[in-house]
Amino acid sequence: MIDGDRHIGTKGTAGEPLIRIENMTKTFGEHQVLQPINLEILEKETLVVIGASGSGKTTMLRCINHLETPTTGGVYLRDEPIGGNPAEFGLPWTPFPENLVARQRRNFGFVFQRFNLFPHLTALDNVAIGPRKVLGIGKSEARARAREQLEKVFLGEHIGKRPNQLSGGQQQRVAIARALAMNPIVMLFDEPTSALDPELVKEVLDVIRLLAETGMTSVIVTHEMHFAAEVADRVTYIDHGTIVEQGPPHKLFSSPEEERTKKFLSHFHHIFDNPANP
Amino acid sequence: MLDWDIIKMAIPLLAEGLTVTLYVSFFAGIIGTFAGIILGLLSLSNIKPLELFIRIYVDFVRGTPLLIQIFLVFFALPVIGIKFNEIWAGVAALAFNLAGYTAEIVRGSVGAVEKGQAEAAKGIGMTREKILVYILLPQAARQMVPPFTNELITMIKSSSLLSVISVYELTRSGQAIISVHFVPFEIYGLLALYYWGLITTISWATRQLERRLPAW
């Protein structure tokens, strides 16, 4: 939390700090997208990040697995800096060799807004290619592992299909299976349902919820407030590149302290006023 | 009207020229394509001096007439001690030219694959080379075929320029007949037919290749 308190998740499952974001900023040209961010993500925690479009939440998520390079400060996974040694003590940012960064990225499963499945591969091979080509596992074993992951996201019957033969919801579940097949330590979801037709959102959220319930550490950037309220151990509200407020969902959604949080959440009041609304 | 006796006599003579055109185009095609793919991949290697070198190479190929490139290989290189006979000078010049354009096609097609693909591959821990080999190239391969076919066709037609360094290829073999019998209508007509038949065959073959490459 902002004041450094250890937060215990609502499910009582969160443990030791796993990821530490320390004084991290990101600037694109003239535009500072992230003001210095400090955030800890605890083991087995489900952290939901909310905020308006352009608030910097996606950039923060992309910095965690080093798809973006932080401008200053950095990300630590169990005290190991990710992507390079952060600029400090007057020393500049020093990137790690590409091979090391690639190896570090295996610890993070990243799920994109637009799925980004490999269109030339079947669902099975989309999931198997990581274990095969990155982890060096044999073809049949990698495929067995892929099949297992696809069954976990309820796609056992679709393993032979190409992405363009699958619905958006199915594609996103393949993408989740693809990330899980690498046995990541933490899953990062970047607005995983924003590109989906409304009727396909639920099947993806159900899979993410199941995953969170099994104790997978997850950071979820989303606009699905109802889902956030239900699945999160902790909700973080980001505005203009700053963490404005965070806390357990029941507290943050029902009695936010900051004016900016109240204003942002007021856009979603119809959701909280009507519990029957999915 | 048409001098059919000349045509009957010319058909086998031109066929001899055609075999040289085929010979030169075959080797220039193989060497140029292979070198072009290598250069194209190297230009994606993220090794800056190499990228700069290839940039300069491609700019030179595109920025100078093929005829000058042929003269450079055949007349200028011998001055600094690099000698080819006229056929291999022709092969070298055409391959040099084709490689430049092919490199650009490879680089462009790979660069045109949607950015999210490389990101997703990075996301599962792939390194640059693996992303290129397993994700980007398979998706770019099919896009490369039509522009590459164009370059191959241009190269084969441009091989007629080799007549000026006395390679006895198709065009030159026709000119030889004209210079003796002065029958430009028949011979240039036949030459056009020969080239057209050759190019049509090549186009058909590359369409078959394109069809076999993965699509989705």
Side-chain angles (χ1 to χ4, degrees), chain A residues 62 65 67 98-99 102 105-106 108 110 112 116-121 129-130 133-134 162 164 178-179 182, chain B residues 114-131 134-136 138-139 214-216:
Chain A
R62 288 166 60 87
N65 78 335
L67 284 178
E98 199 220 341
N99 284 346
R105 279 207 192 93
R106 293 183 205 165
F108 305 90
F110 199 99
F112 297 84
N116 296 352
L117 289 184
F118 307 129
H120 60 302
L121 301 177
I129 194 165
K133 302 301 181 189
V134 178
R162 289 263 174 84
N164 68 355
R178 175 175 68 181
M182 300 301 289
Chain B
E114 198 244 323
K115 190 167 147 270
Q117 291 292 308
E119 283 195 344
K122 270 188 192 175
I124 54 171
M126 283 197 183
T127 51
R128 225 183 142 76
E129 310 92 81
K130 284 184 181 165
I131 295 172
Y134 299 118
I135 305 301
L136 301 182
Q139 293 187 52
W216 44 88

Side-chain angles (χ1 to χ4, degrees), chain A residues 171-187:
Chain A
Q171 288 188 55
Q172 192 60 299
R173 285 185 282 149
V174 174
I176 293 170
R178 175 175 68 181
L180 289 174
M182 300 301 289
N183 286 333
I185 298 174
V186 52
M187 286 289 288

Side-chain angles (χ1 to χ4, degrees), chain B residues 15-187:
Chain B
E16 255 177 63
L18 180 67
T19 56
V20 175
T21 291
L22 282 173
Y23 183 88
V24 169
S25 301
F26 176 78
F27 285 105
I30 298 279
I31 297 166
T33 304
F34 194 69
I37 290 173
I38 303 275
L39 288 174
L41 293 180
L42 288 177
S43 73
L44 296 161
S45 66
N46 213 19
I47 304 167
K48 294 295 165 204
L50 214 52
E51 283 178 18
L52 181 68
F53 166 76
I54 295 163
R55 186 82 256 141
I56 292 168
Y57 175 82
V58 170
D59 279 353
F60 179 79
V61 167
R62 290 203 294 200
T64 55
L66 176 58
L67 191 59
I68 301 297
Q69 293 165 18
I70 292 168
F71 286 158
L72 277 172
V73 173
F74 190 63
F75 295 117
L77 286 186
V79 177
I80 56 167
I82 304 170
K83 283 188 186 125
F84 298 101
N85 67 25
E86 68 275 12
I87 289 208
W88 285 96
V91 169
L94 292 177
F96 176 84
N97 192 269
L98 181 64
Y101 287 103
T102 305
E104 199 56 12
I105 289 169
V106 171
R107 196 186 64 81
S109 308
V110 170
V113 176
E114 198 244 323
K115 190 167 147 270
Q117 291 292 308
E119 283 195 344
K122 270 188 192 175
I124 54 171
M126 283 197 183
T127 51
R128 225 183 142 76
E129 310 92 81
K130 284 184 181 165
I131 295 172
L132 190 60
V133 173
Y134 299 118
I135 305 301
L136 301 182
L137 281 177
Q139 293 187 52
R142 199 183 165 109
Q143 325 301 323
M144 292 179 199
V145 176
F148 174 73
T149 304
N150 281 340
E151 291 312 326
L152 200 62
I153 287 172
T154 304
M155 189 272 285
I156 293 168
K157 292 197 287 191
S158 305
S159 70
S160 67
L161 288 173
L162 298 180
S163 57
V164 299
I165 57 167
S166 68
V167 176
Y168 197 82
E169 46 66 67
L170 186 52
T171 302
R172 174 92 181 175
S173 68
Q175 287 168 336
I177 299 170
I178 293 168
S179 66
V180 177
H181 300 282
F182 198 70
V183 278
F185 190 87
E186 287 83 350
I187 298 302

Side-chain angles (χ1 to χ4, degrees), chain A residues 117-139:
Chain A
L117 289 184
F118 307 129
H120 60 302
L121 301 177
T122 61
L124 187 68
D125 284 334
N126 261 280
V127 182
I129 194 165
R132 262 184 82 187
K133 302 301 181 189
V134 178
L135 303 180
I137 292 171
K139 187 171 180 173

